[in-house]
Amino acid sequence: AAARLAQAESVLIAGGGPVAVELAAEILEAYPSTQLTLVTSGRTLCSALPAAVGVECRQWLEARGASLIFESPVVSSRPDSVTLRGGQKLAADIVYMCTGAPPASEPLRPTLLSHLDPSGRLRVNEHLEVAAATSPDGDQEPLVRPGSEDRVSGARAQAGVSRWRRVYAMGDVAAHPSQELKLGHTAELNAHVAAANVVRAARGAPLLSYPHGAVGASRSPRVYAISLGAYDGVLAMNGIVLMGAVAAIAKRLIEWSKVAACEERPVGTLFWRVADSFTAWLSRTLLPPPPAAPHEVQTTLLFDGVCLLCSSFVHFVIDHNRDERIRFCALQSEAGKEMLRAHGLPLDVSTVVLIDECGVHVRSTAALRTLRLCGLPFRMLYAALIVLPAPARDLGYRAVAASRYRLFGKDKGESCRRMSKELRGRFLSS
């Protein structure tokens, strides 16, 4: 295959994701005179990642002579040609299909067919343990763990439900409820939790949930690196994208330290232990992940709808929360009361409440975690104050909360603002 590529005058790559982009970059750097065409069904490259990633990859490839064709799905392929949806045929000396492939779960089908989803991935629960199978009548069969007093019926026992209680899946083959992107970084986080749970199950200890057991939050950091040849690349964490020389140096460091870690050299294992911990902390504090998808936990601010100070704070957040990821709900509303009950809080709570990917927060912690989503300089204010002990921070908060009506008055509707349909949709009132 390598000899054939070295002799090829033209190469066609079908696909627009990171694998297709990295392959195209490697070919162009090794064989700069090769006529390379990349065809994708998407409107951009690497569409699942931040837009800046796709823009940088496109500029890099086009600067080296690559021809990019967008919004052109491939319907069939041969070793030397592809046919597009409209019937157009593109020929090349070599064709590489990088349009994605189902996970290699075929060996699991004889015994775990009922646990596979339609795409061939193995359904797992929050512990990365094989999830309960769906019986023919649609019922969910329970999962039995070591030491559990649960017993299954004869029919369910014959179905072998309990046989898979210590089977874990990770990476591309795992269908986790979070539906997070399949990345090398998340596969490693999967492995950390799965390995820990193997040991915990053997000891009869409670199992860790994913991703909280790996990063201390309900959403994992979105970290990815795309190589653009040997000396360039794009690095991204959550919404931050690094390109050029910084990315190139960081990529080299990542590659070297990762190899050292795989060889179990102390410098590599220590580097990644520190790096993973720092990345998780950064994602929980200063650089939170992008806005939640519909199936993920959404950030919700519960506030006193009668308090004028609280209403003013809501207006402040609306003006400064640029990505519009925060929803709002009055504590006195039925929706607010339902959320308080769901999280074990009293209905007469005298504090602002923030529900986000890291859990439920009250008083000064809730206010500060809200400020971190309001851009600079408020994110810096959050970083400076959050390190203080919560009891000390809450002293001032409690003093203001206790006299908020007397000092600032009640909201009689005079603080209302004109709301667009989109803004109105961020308020939960039912």
Side-chain angles (χ1 to χ4, degrees), residues 105-182:
S105 58
E106 195 63 31
L108 303 177
R109 291 187 176 276
T111 51
L112 286 167
L113 180 61
S114 62
H115 298 268
L116 299 177
D117 70 6
S119 65
R121 290 189 170 91
L122 190 59
R123 294 188 182 94
V124 296
N125 59 21
E126 69 273 19
H127 308 296
L128 299 180
E129 204 173 29
V130 172
T134 302
S135 62
D137 59 4
D139 292 335
Q140 289 292 315
E141 297 172 329
L143 189 68
V144 182
R145 297 196 181 89
S148 172
E149 297 301 322
D150 296 337
R151 295 293 182 266
V152 295
S153 65
R156 287 178 173 174
Q158 291 176 4
V161 176
S162 63
R163 293 167 56 196
W164 315 115
R165 66 190 183 278
R166 291 186 179 180
V167 177
Y168 302 87
M170 64 194 92
D172 288 353
V173 78
H176 186 262
S178 67
Q179 300 180 27
E180 64 186 2
L181 289 176
K182 296 297 183 181

Side-chain angles (χ1 to χ4, degrees), residues 253 256-261 263-274:
L253 176 61
W256 175 84
S257 59
K258 183 59 69 175
V259 171
E263 294 175 347
E264 297 186 349
R265 285 188 278 160
V267 63
T269 55
L270 178 60
F271 176 90
W272 280 101
R273 194 169 296 170
V274 173

Side-chain angles (χ1 to χ4, degrees), residues 13-37:
I13 298 176
V19 172
V21 169
E22 289 188 332
L23 176 60
E26 294 289 341
I27 293 174
L28 287 174
E29 184 164 86
Y31 308 104
S33 62
T34 299
Q35 179 184 346
L36 188 142
T37 301

Side-chain angles (χ1 to χ4, degrees), residues 22 26 225-233 235 247-263 265 268 271-272:
E22 289 188 332
E26 294 289 341
I226 297 179
S227 295
L228 297 174
Y231 304 102
D232 207 346
L235 299 179
I249 294 173
K251 188 187 74 168
R252 284 288 185 176
L253 176 61
I254 290 172
E255 292 173 348
W256 175 84
S257 59
K258 183 59 69 175
V259 171
C262 291
E263 294 175 347
R265 285 188 278 160
F271 176 90
W272 280 101

